[in-house]
Amino acid sequence: MPASFFTFSPDEFWAEPRDSYWLEFSNWVLTQERGHSDRVQALGEWADRTLSGSNQALPDNESYLRVGFATESEYGDPAQFEPEARFRLDIPTTEEKLRLVIESESDELIPLSERRRNRQLTEDERSETEATGAFRYLTIVGDAINLSNDVGVRLRLPPDAFWRVKAEKEWQPGEDWKLAVEQRLYYFHQDGWGTRSWFGAGRDLGNGWDTLLSSEAEWVHDERKFELSQTANFYKRLNNRSTINPRVGVLGESQPGWRTTSVFTDLTYRYRLHSDWLFAEVIPALEFPRDESFKDRASLVLRIELYFSGSIERPY
């Protein structure tokens, strides 16, 4: 790695470490990451060999375990730490287009307003959707559209069977803008069907800043209405350890009439504490919900996250 990756000066490289409680704690954390990462990766490889009947497992499966602690403070509400956990077991079989995917939550059953404000929320504020297991078949339509079909169940009693399909495409019409579109259609036996359309346009703003303007519409079958979102995301890497991500968004719905349900803004400061798996976040946020007469509601979220994984594409 280049010297700029590290934050200490060259003359400090050979300095003797000083014993401290922080050093003992950090050494314990490092030991956990090194041990559990191999176990998570090995679990995916073992499951791959078992299901496919092959002695060889495909490399780089996207299994991961993400754990952490987050605390939120609002007006008159003291901060309390809450544990968080997310996982995905992604098992490619010997047929590269077929995968077994086990996840801790189902994205389709999380309300649109919650997904758009996910980083502002702690575990007790999120919807409980139960873990899911599905076989996923990947294919390409033409030379540009990625298509995936999932057939699976929610891992609960009684189990809830579901089917979902996702199509996505990215293209660059010119030198400045990059466009992307995603369409989902899904059916859950107990919750009915739904559909979601997402469109995003991004570009480089200069001086290290990037932007992504996105629009999304989702049909909520049980309530017979559309939920809508419009967000503007801005992103900048401040240095090799920290990034900043300000956002502003508007949420809406179609029933009882087309109307705005909430306006929000937040700023995520993310700092890499160690390597590429230990992070800290500070997220001040401001929301103006309709059900509180658009009165401002401020919050501050502090979060520590650890990723235990093999070789994966980071889910952030």
Side-chain angles (χ1 to χ4, degrees), residues 40-305:
V40 173
Q41 181 78 2
L43 176 61
E45 293 176 352
W46 168 82
D48 181 28
R49 290 192 299 269
T50 301
L51 291 173
S52 65
S54 170
N55 292 326
Q56 301 295 326
L58 293 176
D60 299 336
N61 71 67
E62 297 182 355
S63 304
Y64 73 87
L65 171 64
R66 185 179 77 197
V67 297
F69 292 89
T71 180
E72 180 182 21
S73 178
E74 297 183 351
Y75 293 143
D77 181 20
Q80 295 180 348
F81 276 97
E82 298 287 346
E84 298 181 323
R86 295 288 185 276
F87 70 84
R88 178 175 65 212
L89 182 61
D90 191 320
I91 308 169
T93 67
T94 52
E95 296 293 335
E96 295 185 15
K97 293 183 178 181
L98 183 65
R99 312 176 79 97
L100 173 63
V101 181
I102 301 175
E103 298 177 293
S104 59
E105 58 187 1
S106 178
D107 191 47
E108 287 76 18
L109 298 179
I110 300 175
L112 175 60
S113 58
E114 184 177 323
R115 293 200 311 274
R116 294 283 72 83
R117 299 177 52 249
N118 179 61
R119 303 303 291 180
Q120 300 177 16
L121 306 178
T122 54
E123 191 71 11
D124 61 336
E125 297 175 303
R126 296 190 174 105
S127 299
E128 177 58 48
T129 65
E130 291 94 21
T132 62
F135 281 102
R136 175 172 297 168
Y137 184 75
L138 305 173
T139 187
I140 299 178
V141 179
D143 59 353
I145 301 178
N146 296 317
L147 186 67
S148 68
N149 274 278
D150 292 7
V151 177
V153 294
R154 295 167 71 181
L155 304 179
R156 67 178 189 182
L157 293 176
D160 182 15
F162 69 86
W163 165 81
R164 61 190 174 201
V165 59
K166 180 177 73 172
E168 56 186 356
K169 174 181 172 59
E170 297 180 1
W171 70 98
Q172 188 168 348
E175 296 183 358
D176 297 329
W177 288 95
K178 294 182 179 179
L179 307 179
V181 63
E182 179 183 290
Q183 180 66 49
R184 295 193 185 198
L185 178 64
Y186 50 89
Y187 174 79
F188 285 79
H189 180 66
Q190 296 183 10
D191 293 275
W193 67 276
T195 182
R196 183 194 307 171
S197 302
W198 179 90
F199 173 79
R203 65 167 296 168
D204 180 4
L205 297 178
N207 196 29
W209 283 96
D210 292 294
T211 185
L212 174 64
L213 307 176
S214 64
S215 301
E216 185 170 7
E218 180 174 12
W219 171 252
V220 183
H221 181 69
D222 289 344
E223 301 180 25
R224 300 297 194 275
K225 70 175 183 179
F226 283 99
E227 291 186 348
L228 311 167
S229 77
Q230 178 68 53
T231 59
N233 298 263
F234 303 91
Y235 175 87
K236 182 176 183 178
R237 181 173 295 278
L238 300 177
N239 51 50
N240 65 324
R241 282 189 177 272
S242 58
T243 61
I244 190 170
N245 177 204
R247 301 189 310 157
V248 61
V250 180
L251 304 173
E253 61 184 4
S254 63
Q255 293 293 343
W258 294 97
R259 63 180 187 175
T260 298
T261 56
S262 178
V263 178
F264 70 88
T265 182
D266 60 29
L267 186 149
T268 300
Y269 174 76
R270 186 173 178 87
Y271 186 80
R272 178 175 58 83
L273 294 173
H274 179 78
S275 187
D276 63 346
W277 59 269
L278 180 59
F279 295 88
E281 287 184 342
V282 179
I283 309 175
L286 193 62
E287 183 189 11
F288 303 87
R290 169 178 285 274
D291 56 11
E292 296 184 14
S293 302
F294 294 105
K295 182 181 179 181
D296 62 286
R297 185 171 66 186
S299 64
L300 176 66
V301 173
L302 307 176
R303 177 179 285 114
I304 298 290
E305 284 189 333

